[in-house]
Amino acid sequence: MTETSTETPFYPMPRAAACPFAPAPQVREIAAAGPISKVRTWEDKVAWLVTGYEELRALFPDPNVHLDNKHPNFPYISPAMKALAELSPRTMFNTDGAEHARFRRMLAKPFTPKRLELLRPLVQKAVDERIDEMLAAGDSVDLVRALGLPVPSLVICELLGVPYEDHEYFQRSTEIGFDSNTSLEEAQQITIEMLGYLNKLLESKLENPGEDMISDMAELVRAGELQSWEAALQAVGFLAAGHETTANMIGLSVLALLERPEQLALLRDIDDPKLLSSALDELVRYMSITHTGLRRVAAADIEIAGETIREGDGIIFDIGAANWNPETFPDPETIDVTRPNAAQHLAFGAGRHNCIGLQLARLELGITLQTLFRRVPTLRLATTIDQISFKEDAMVYGITTLPVEW
Ligand code: HEM
């Protein structure tokens, strides 16, 4: 699919300042008109945009829908992502089929429900200590810096075996890496630096292994099952995806719930783990933070919704549009933490590439929100929502600062 036309809308489309939590209005209009359409990317190439809920459910697991970012028609998010894809080896982030399953099997162990339950006390301690510090320091704080970013960063450091003292470095690098305005040169430099940093850690874990994922990967490198370059790149991916996503969800959720005190109270008081999980899913559905589209390429002709996606066509999944589909989620613009089918959202993806960290994200989000609202009942915004700066240009949506007081 090579034709371009000025009438083909450019993607991604901006969210509206007046409705900062809602998917872009233009995407919602496109979704209302039909489940699949065509858009233009920054390379002036045409790709299919899938916004329909049922169509995404069908295409996510389709074996002919590939995440092959080395394919010439892959619809890259930005010039920097294109250059990085050309540089990077094969990992779980850009393979499919047996190759992807092999990578995923190697790395899935720490994310089993049993292993994650063991992390619960660590997450609770991290949250309690950050809130103790917050309360001891005064009566106002930037909640992103004080709680939202430190909690998932501490947890992913523990899981991977990365020293938390380096958090300023990797948080900043991730933020720059996820910004679509970052230049190609800057993105390359940051990735090479992060790869060097994690490679050094891998080498040190070969000498002195610990109970962590980088030590496990070092062992796989020693056994010849993984190249050190592949291991380092996967560690970069886990480090970045493991803190920036959940941190953004914490910031956005606190902001949205402070504006909706009845929903805040409902969520704060949930004791049943199943109901809590569903309430958190509602927040994840509502925010749909991976808002610049999940990218794919067709490995064969695919018939869907009366259209033929041809082999080699680029495909973009807009999960926000599907998560706000009024037929699947009635009254989608309302946060309803008791929504019965919230767990059916697509904000963690679906199929073989679905989020490996989704249970961890729920664990961190649940403990952080409930503990914060229980321990600081007078928490309120120290500004107005129109003063908050949203990460419109980032691959993962969020807020940079959240001034609160109590
Ligand atoms: C609320 C927080 C999170 C959200 C909304 C989120 C969202 C997503 C989405 C949408 C995907 C699918 C990407 C695609 O299909 O192209 C994904 C994959 C992934 N996520 Fe998350 N994520 C979150 C938290 C985490 C955490 C905490 C970790 C790690 C500890 C993590 C690690 C990963 C990895 C490694 C993948 C790639 C899986 C694969 O390709 O097989 N994520 N995530």
Side-chain angles (χ1 to χ4, degrees):
M1 195 168 40
T2 49
E3 88 273 21
T4 57
S5 145
T6 45
E7 277 163 32
T8 311
F10 183 82
Y11 185 90
M13 290 135 183
R15 299 206 192 206
C19 307
F21 298 114
Q26 208 184 339
V27 171
R28 293 192 74 197
E29 272 166 37
I30 290 175
I36 168 162
S37 59
K38 289 178 184 174
V39 286
R40 204 162 36 90
T41 67
W42 61 273
E43 289 185 281
D44 216 21
K45 283 186 178 171
V46 175
W48 293 100
L49 180 72
V50 187
T51 49
Y53 181 84
E54 294 305 333
E55 288 69 18
L56 282 174
R57 278 262 167 233
L59 291 176
F60 261 118
D62 189 318
N64 290 317
V65 174
H66 283 187
L67 220 169
D68 175 7
N69 68 2
K70 308 252 178 209
H71 192 288
N73 284 353
F74 191 80
Y76 301 101
I77 290 180
S78 64
M81 285 298 144
K82 180 175 179 174
L84 292 180
E86 283 163 1
L87 277 177
S88 65
R90 293 284 181 187
T91 63
M92 80 189 285
F93 301 114
N94 61 5
T95 50
D96 289 277
E99 205 182 1
H100 170 258
R102 188 178 81 89
F103 284 125
R104 187 129 174 162
R105 258 196 317 275
M106 282 183 200
L107 301 164
K109 219 161 98 194
F111 299 96
T112 57
K114 224 168 150 186
R115 289 277 290 268
L116 285 177
E117 257 327 289
L118 298 175
L119 278 180
R120 183 177 288 279
L122 176 104
V123 178
Q124 186 67 61
K125 184 166 174 273
V127 171
D128 277 326
E129 286 176 358
R130 298 290 84 70
I131 296 178
D132 289 344
E133 280 169 16
M134 239 171 80
L135 296 177
D139 57 7
S140 66
V141 82
D142 166 17
L143 202 85
V144 172
R145 295 280 144 199
L147 188 70
L149 256 177
V151 170
S153 302
L154 273 158
V155 176
I156 198 70
C157 280
E158 181 72 20
L159 209 64
L160 286 171
V162 168
Y164 183 68
E165 306 89 89
D166 298 339
H167 68 278
E168 299 273 358
Y169 163 65
F170 68 74
Q171 285 169 350
R172 182 83 195 111
S173 302
T174 305
E175 210 170 302
I176 298 171
F178 278 172
D179 190 328
S180 44
N181 296 321
T182 296
S183 73
L184 165 66
E185 292 73 24
E186 215 180 345
Q188 278 176 335
Q189 193 198 333
I190 278 173
T191 311
I192 290 167
E193 271 171 28
M194 287 263 273
L195 278 172
Y197 169 76
L198 282 153
N199 213 25
K200 237 166 129 186
L201 255 178
L202 262 168
E203 282 169 10
S204 74
K205 303 274 180 187
L206 270 173
E207 299 294 312
N208 287 308
E211 292 286 309
D212 54 62
M213 277 182 80
I214 296 184
S215 298
D216 295 348
M217 285 197 234
E219 199 39 56
L220 291 166
V221 171
R222 196 203 301 275
E225 288 185 45
L226 203 58
Q227 304 293 316
S228 55
W229 198 23
E230 293 169 343
L233 200 88
Q234 285 185 152
V236 171
F238 272 91
L239 186 55
H243 79 276
E244 174 75 13
T245 46
T246 315
N248 284 323
M249 267 312 299
I250 293 171
L252 289 169
S253 302
V254 172
L255 174 60
L257 291 169
L258 286 177
E259 300 257 297
R260 293 162 182 79
E262 75 301 342
Q263 294 294 314
L264 183 155
L266 281 172
L267 183 130
R268 181 195 60 210
D269 297 338
I270 296 173
D271 284 327
D272 180 326
K274 274 209 180 107
L275 295 182
L276 178 61
S277 172
S278 173
L280 299 170
D281 273 331
E282 170 65 352
L283 295 173
V284 180
R285 173 198 75 81
Y286 191 73
M287 308 300 174
S288 296
I289 57 175
T290 52
H291 69 153
T292 51
L294 305 180
R295 311 298 169 119
R296 299 292 193 269
V297 65
D301 287 0
I302 300 164
E303 302 290 334
I304 187 124
E307 300 279 4
T308 305
I309 299 178
R310 296 277 172 215
E311 179 182 349
D313 284 354
I315 309 172
I316 302 173
F317 292 163
D318 192 293
I319 50 184
N323 283 338
W324 280 54
N325 176 339
E327 275 156 35
T328 316
F329 302 105
D331 197 9
E333 42 285 285
T334 299
I335 296 183
D336 174 5
V337 295
T338 64
R339 186 184 289 280
N341 69 340
Q344 287 168 19
H345 72 81
L346 291 168
F348 288 124
R352 59 196 176 278
H353 283 284
N354 83 328
C355 181
I356 205 167
L358 59 90
Q359 291 290 11
L360 176 61
R362 287 195 192 108
L363 183 77
E364 293 175 349
L365 194 57
I367 293 178
T368 306
L369 296 180
Q370 286 199 316
T371 310
L372 176 69
F373 297 139
R374 285 173 186 174
R375 288 194 56 192
V376 197
T378 58
L379 191 77
R380 55 191 179 272
L381 262 188
T383 181
T384 49
I385 191 162
D386 55 309
Q387 297 298 313
I388 304 271
S389 140
F390 289 84
K391 297 183 187 174
E392 178 61 55
D393 292 332
M395 277 161 56
V396 184
Y397 194 56
I399 48 181
T400 43
T401 53
L402 181 60
V404 291
E405 56 192 16
W406 51 90

